[in-house]
Amino acid sequence: MLVNNTFHLSYCTNIHPGSNWESTFTSLKEYLPGIKKQVSPNAPFGLGLRLSNKASEELNEGNNFAVFKAWLSQHNLYVFTMNGFPYGNFHNERVKDDVHTPDWTTTERLVYTKRLFNQLAELLPDGMSGGISTSPISYKYWHTTEEDKQKAFEVGAQQLSEIVLQLFDIENTTAKYLHLDIEPEPDGLLENSEEVVVFFADYLIPIASETLRKHTNLSEEKIAATIKRYITVCYDICHFSLAYEEPEDTFAKFENAGIQIGKIQVSAALKILYNEAAKEEIWQSLARFDEPTYLHQVTEKIGEKVVTYNDLPVVLAKQKAFTELRAHFHVPIFLEQFGSLFSTQDHILKVVAYLKQNAVSDHLEIETYTWDVLPKELKRDLSASIIREIEWLKERL
């Protein structure tokens, strides 16, 4: 839905099961009409569509695409953004670091993303931009040496240059502007704003420039701008709070580097503030969030350095004293406190305040995907929870 005549606001449908097209469409039909009726009864409602590779392949089969487009039209729904980060199943089985599989060093990731963009170009309404969020190149622990990491960045940049060419062609032939939004996260090869800026300067711009020189007639001064037009950043609020970055500083850094924000994913991390008198309660509360499906990295700022523990069990085993920890667990955005634990909701409010003065992106996608693995006392009816998150954010915008 359009908020303040500026922001397309929705939630990411990776909340719902969707290993193939049948299960994906079934989930959409079950939840979307009812949610729209509550949050946007008289106006079009956009959705952040998540398609696994298999669901995306099957969407192109038979008359599935025509049926889906007709269903969207019937219910006054539209697609403006997609989540192209998880390639495979995202529910009811172990995901952990496999969420990065296949990474940007593989042909599979490139083929999947290209197909998603062709589908988004067909689904996106005229006069609207569209974006797809994606992996931060790869998972850090798969590359043990600096040489390995450098090679991953080089291959990833070359693959991304193929996306730049695709999106350049789509805009020239359809007048639809699409962008790929790289999503930094803890233990990704790109974790924070500084690593993104370095990747653009040292890998993406030089490597993609060579590709554009070979395949386009763009002038030298337009080549870098074209690359930065089509490759942007997905600013996941949870992830950047885990990097202990203040939103205003991060947005300024990207602006100075000429890097655009394609999408803002509105999400909150767990915040754990140490209290010696209540430490047993704190550790017990935190242990309730230890579950086997997703990676829940924990970060700690020591001096000027951010230390990352690769999963919650590592921290639970140590139980050492600290000042503040932040855990990669997407908790409901409308809650500031969870018993003796807190959330990084304050970062969401800072981003909202910034957006009111500087609309750095018009794509806002709520991404709390952990409803089914939350502690029992936090679980509620899924539709009601989604509606509550949307209404909470609308009020503050």
Side-chain angles (χ1 to χ4, degrees):
M1 81 191 97
L2 197 61
V3 178
N4 297 344
N5 291 316
T6 303
F7 305 108
H8 293 278
L9 168 61
S10 189
Y11 75 98
C12 183
T13 62
N14 65 351
I15 291 172
H16 308 304
S19 59
N20 55 27
W21 174 244
E22 181 181 6
S23 62
T24 298
F25 197 23
T26 297
S27 293
L28 296 177
K29 288 185 289 187
E30 178 180 356
Y31 289 101
L32 263 297
I35 291 170
K36 181 193 180 299
K37 184 177 180 180
Q38 293 297 314
V39 300
S40 185
N42 302 313
F45 181 66
L47 62 136
L49 183 63
R50 189 262 159 167
L51 298 176
S52 69
N53 180 64
K54 187 175 182 181
S56 173
E57 289 177 331
E58 293 175 350
L59 177 57
N60 284 346
E61 295 175 357
N63 66 341
N64 286 344
F65 207 99
V67 170
F68 182 47
K69 288 187 71 174
W71 180 80
L72 291 170
S73 177
Q74 175 190 352
H75 293 281
N76 205 11
L77 299 164
Y78 63 95
V79 178
F80 69 96
T81 187
M82 298 174 76
N83 186 339
F85 192 151
Y87 178 95
N89 193 20
F90 199 57
H91 288 272
N92 304 319
E93 64 181 58
R94 182 189 184 279
V95 177
K96 295 293 183 179
D97 58 323
D98 280 341
V99 73
H100 294 274
T101 304
D103 65 14
W104 272 105
T105 67
T106 67
T107 301
E108 289 86 352
R109 172 65 62 175
L110 178 62
V111 170
Y112 168 57
T113 307
K114 280 189 167 185
R115 188 190 319 113
L116 290 181
F117 270 120
N118 288 332
Q119 291 170 331
L120 182 57
E122 287 287 326
L123 294 170
L124 185 71
D126 292 336
M128 196 180 297
S129 67
I132 298 175
S133 49
T134 193
S135 152
I137 309 303
S138 187
Y139 182 58
K140 180 174 292 184
Y141 290 103
W142 295 345
H143 307 278
T144 56
T145 68
E146 287 303 312
E147 185 179 355
D148 289 342
K149 292 176 184 177
Q150 180 177 333
K151 182 64 175 177
F153 281 137
E154 290 172 351
V155 176
Q158 185 58 57
Q159 302 269 53
L160 291 175
S161 70
E162 296 295 319
I163 298 295
V164 173
L165 285 179
Q166 179 193 18
L167 301 186
F168 179 76
D169 290 341
I170 286 175
E171 187 167 18
N172 284 337
T173 56
T174 70
K176 290 186 176 182
Y177 167 49
L178 307 178
H179 42 82
L180 181 66
D181 315 325
I182 297 174
E183 182 181 340
E185 74 164 34
D187 287 338
L189 275 186
L190 301 177
E191 291 190 80
N192 54 51
S193 60
E194 184 61 30
E195 291 177 354
V196 171
V197 170
V198 170
F199 172 70
F200 269 73
D202 292 356
Y203 297 96
L204 181 62
I205 299 301
I207 291 172
S209 293
E210 282 299 311
T211 300
L212 265 63
R213 289 188 193 102
K214 293 177 183 177
H215 297 282
T216 72
N217 295 317
L218 290 171
S219 62
E220 283 298 316
E221 58 266 25
K222 286 187 177 180
I223 285 178
T226 299
I227 296 165
K228 290 178 179 178
R229 176 170 175 79
Y230 298 119
I231 307 297
T232 65
V233 169
C234 172
Y235 182 97
D236 186 303
I237 300 175
C238 167
H239 298 172
F240 279 93
S241 73
L242 288 161
Y244 290 80
E245 294 194 26
E246 289 298 314
E248 190 170 341
D249 297 337
T250 302
F251 292 139
K253 183 180 291 187
F254 285 145
E255 183 179 4
N256 290 338
I259 298 171
Q260 298 182 65
I261 308 295
K263 171 164 67 176
I264 293 178
Q265 283 186 327
V266 182
S267 55
L270 271 178
K271 182 192 296 184
I272 307 98
L273 302 177
Y274 191 72
N275 181 337
E276 178 66 26
K279 64 180 182 180
E280 292 301 323
E281 181 185 352
I282 289 171
W283 287 119
Q284 289 173 10
S285 296
L286 186 57
R288 292 180 300 134
F289 289 86
D290 182 19
E291 57 79 34
T293 304
Y294 304 109
L295 272 179
H296 300 297
Q297 300 94 337
V298 179
T299 61
E300 179 181 14
K301 191 170 186 181
I302 302 175
E304 292 303 308
K305 183 180 180 182
V306 176
V307 176
T308 302
Y309 307 96
N310 71 330
D311 208 351
L312 186 53
V314 176
V315 174
L316 292 172
K318 291 178 182 291
Q319 293 200 11
K320 70 180 184 68
F322 60 89
T323 301
E324 177 181 344
L325 300 175
R326 296 178 183 179
H328 184 199
F329 198 115
H330 288 222
V331 292
I333 66 173
F334 50 73
L335 293 175
E336 183 182 10
Q337 192 165 355
F338 306 86
S340 58
L341 308 180
F342 300 85
S343 82
T344 57
Q345 185 192 81
D346 57 319
H347 278 250
I348 297 175
L349 298 176
K350 290 174 185 177
V351 170
V352 168
Y354 190 89
L355 287 173
K356 289 178 179 179
Q357 304 299 322
N358 309 273
V360 293
S361 176
D362 61 355
H363 287 187
L364 304 183
E365 180 185 53
I366 298 170
E367 201 209 13
T368 308
Y369 58 80
T370 53
W371 295 104
D372 57 341
V373 296
L374 283 171
K376 286 183 179 180
E377 62 271 23
L378 295 176
K379 290 183 179 180
R380 298 290 186 273
D381 174 78
L382 184 56
S383 289
S385 298
I386 294 167
I387 291 165
R388 186 177 174 187
E389 288 201 303
I390 293 171
E391 294 291 0
W392 182 90
L393 186 55
K394 272 176 61 180
E395 289 174 9
R396 280 143 189 85
L397 286 167

